[in-house]
Amino acid sequence: RVVGVAELAPTRRIIRFGLGLARFPAKLAQAAALSASLAGVPVWNGAFVRRAHGDERVTAATIDVAGAQRTIECDLLGVGFGLVPNVELPLLLGCAVEAGRVVVDDLCATSVPGIYCAGEATGIGGADKAAVEGEIAGLAAAGREAEARRLFGRRRRARAFADALAACFPPPRDWDSVVDDETIVCRCEDVRWAAVRAAPDARSAKLHTRLGMGACQGRVCGAAMAVLRGVAPGAVRPPLSPVRLETLTR
């Protein structure tokens, strides 16, 4: 049973976004189906989760709604402020990355000859953008550039929706109003914001607090530090994903 949805975007911006969905009939149908599934569920706009309560498990959450706080009993809490492109593999291959995304040309070719990239690594945009970019990259890699270019219109439409979505639902601009000293930045090592607030770079934070040394090897907290402090993530090294030592020694 969903007891409530706290949406960071204000009501006016959401209404404007909803009206703009007329340009995207399929997305409008999806939005209508989602709204129907949430019938009767409270939705608070201009809101965010201030803190979670509980010891062994979540028992409640304090929600900030337009500056006023309320505590809601719950046993499960999901919080998200957007998505971050996964660029570890392109970085290992030497591909150029700017603003957290892989740099590609119109045919999805990267800065490394013979390597193409498609999907969220080139910028968050959803399944439609990822699918058409994958087709363009595949056709281009196979030497069928004329066919790939015929898909450019479809990609433009997918990107237009992604841009509208990003404009309506951006992450917080003032993180200081969202996080406090007890906010967990590194979940694996239980590192709080107070411990890394003044860290000049990722290496310093790692040496002094063990941030990034847990099971995810900085793949979660590295992005958090990049947003909160403008600290560039540390160098990417193989293995691409964490593995057991037993697996490496076989």
Side-chain angles (χ1 to χ4, degrees):
R1 183 173 65 90
V2 180
V3 297
V5 177
E7 170 53 53
L8 187 63
T11 301
R12 181 179 301 177
R13 193 193 302 160
I14 293 175
I15 291 175
R16 185 165 61 246
F17 173 75
L19 294 174
L21 286 179
R23 296 183 296 153
F24 310 101
K27 300 298 183 183
L28 182 60
Q30 289 179 11
L34 178 60
S35 296
S37 70
L38 291 174
V41 176
V43 178
W44 307 293
N45 297 328
F48 63 91
V49 176
R50 173 64 70 178
R51 62 180 54 85
H53 304 277
D55 295 320
E56 297 299 322
R57 56 178 296 173
V58 174
T59 57
T62 295
I63 313 296
D64 188 303
V65 183
Q69 295 189 10
R70 64 179 71 181
T71 299
I72 310 296
E73 292 185 357
C74 62
D75 55 18
L76 181 66
L77 175 65
V79 182
F81 289 107
L83 303 173
V84 178
N86 187 320
V87 296
E88 280 86 359
L89 180 57
L91 283 172
L92 282 173
L93 294 173
C95 302
V97 174
E98 293 181 2
R101 63 185 67 182
V102 180
V103 177
V104 294
D105 64 14
D106 286 345
L107 293 171
C108 295
T110 70
S111 60
V112 179
I115 296 180
Y116 294 78
C117 187
E120 307 290 52
T122 67
I124 301 300
D128 293 341
K129 169 185 169 294
V132 69
E133 281 187 351
E135 292 183 56
I136 291 172
L139 290 168
R144 297 157 60 182
E145 292 188 10
E147 293 177 65
R149 293 183 184 279
R150 286 198 283 271
L151 298 175
F152 283 8
R154 199 171 115 206
R155 181 175 61 186
R156 279 194 299 272
R157 291 190 294 274
R159 284 179 173 175
F161 174 74
D163 291 343
L165 198 67
C168 181
F169 304 102
R173 292 181 174 85
D174 183 9
W175 281 99
D176 288 341
S177 66
V178 179
V179 301
D180 58 31
D181 285 352
E182 292 302 306
T183 299
I184 297 175
V185 178
C186 176
R187 297 180 294 187
C188 298
E189 296 295 326
D190 195 29
V191 178
R192 312 288 170 133
W193 174 234
V196 295
R197 184 196 295 113
D201 52 47
R203 178 177 173 78
S204 176
K206 182 175 182 179
L207 290 175
H208 289 90
T209 69
R210 291 187 57 81
L211 179 136
M213 296 181 70
C216 84
Q217 289 292 286
R219 284 160 175 77
V220 176
C221 58
M225 282 294 286
V227 171
L228 293 171
R229 289 278 291 109
V231 173
V236 177
R237 297 181 299 176
L240 182 61
S241 297
V243 297
R244 294 179 179 273
L245 288 175
E246 177 188 6
T247 302
L248 296 176
T249 56
R250 284 178 180 174

